[in-house]
């Protein structure tokens, strides 16, 4: 296994579609798939209700989201070698950083936000396509 494919997810159904497409490519290319999500803040909050206490951590929640998507994709696409990761920052920046750090051959993102106002203001797909250190596949996910 010599290639790595990065796919960005945010918990949406459209991101799930992009992740499944990336998984199918990873199997065909015998590549590792890294499911990545971003978190905008590094907040940690302790919540107590009665005798129960919970620690809410943005980074941990992002890792759990990436792992949940990775598990779903693993079930849908047998044979894919998959890892989950999360990073702090804007989604596009996190995907580019992961691709650089893992010497990825491809980043896969969905096309949501590439039409209408999102196209004018920018989207994750657009920012990644302009700055990626590798190939970028924009998957049509807005069916």
């Amino acid at each position: 296994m010599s290639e790595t494919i990065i796919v960005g997810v945010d918990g949406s159904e459209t991101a799930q579609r992009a992740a499944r497409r990336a998984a199918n490519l990873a199997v065909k290319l015998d590549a590792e798939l890294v499911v990545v999500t971003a978190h905008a803040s590094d907040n940690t909050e302790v919540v107590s209700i009665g005798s129960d206490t919970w620690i809410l951590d943005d980074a941990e929640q992002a890792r759990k989201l990436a792992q949940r998507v990775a598990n779903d994709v693993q079930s849908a696409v047998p044979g894919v070698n998959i890892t989950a990761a999360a990073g702090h920052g804007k989604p596009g920046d996190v995907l580019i950083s992961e691709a650089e750090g893992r010497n990825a051959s491809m980043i896969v993102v969905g096309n949501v936000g590439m039409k209408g106002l999102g196209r004018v203001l920018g989207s994750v797909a657009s920012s990644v396509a302009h700055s990626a250190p590798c190939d970028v596949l924009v998957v049509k996910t807005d069916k």
Side-chain angles (χ1 to χ4, degrees):
M1 184 168 311
S2 61
E3 293 194 44
T4 299
I5 298 173
I6 305 290
V7 62
V9 299
D10 61 5
S12 67
E13 178 54 37
T14 56
Q16 193 83 350
R17 287 184 201 129
R20 285 190 297 268
R21 178 79 166 112
N24 284 317
L25 281 171
V27 168
K28 290 176 182 173
L29 297 172
D30 192 30
E32 175 187 18
L33 178 63
V34 182
V35 175
V36 178
T37 193
H39 54 97
S41 63
D42 272 335
N43 292 332
T44 301
E45 189 175 339
V46 177
V47 177
S48 296
I49 299 174
S51 62
D52 294 329
T53 300
W54 293 276
I55 299 174
L56 305 175
D57 180 274
D58 289 349
E60 181 61 24
Q61 294 306 312
R63 280 189 291 277
K64 285 180 180 179
L65 170 66
Q67 188 61 58
R68 185 170 57 248
V69 172
N71 292 344
D72 290 347
V73 169
Q74 182 81 63
S75 296
V77 183
V80 65
N81 178 15
I82 194 165
T83 303
H88 176 254
K90 294 179 181 177
D93 295 342
V94 170
L95 291 172
I96 290 165
S97 177
E98 282 290 326
E100 290 170 345
R102 295 174 185 265
N103 196 27
S105 56
M106 182 184 299
I107 300 173
V108 176
V109 291
N111 71 329
V112 170
M114 293 193 72
K115 294 193 257 181
L117 188 58
R119 182 179 57 80
V120 175
L121 298 176
S123 68
V124 173
S126 180
S127 66
V128 168
H130 284 95
S131 303
C134 58
D135 293 338
V136 177
L137 173 62
V138 180
V139 177
K140 182 163 178 57
T141 59
D142 61 352
K143 298 176 183 175

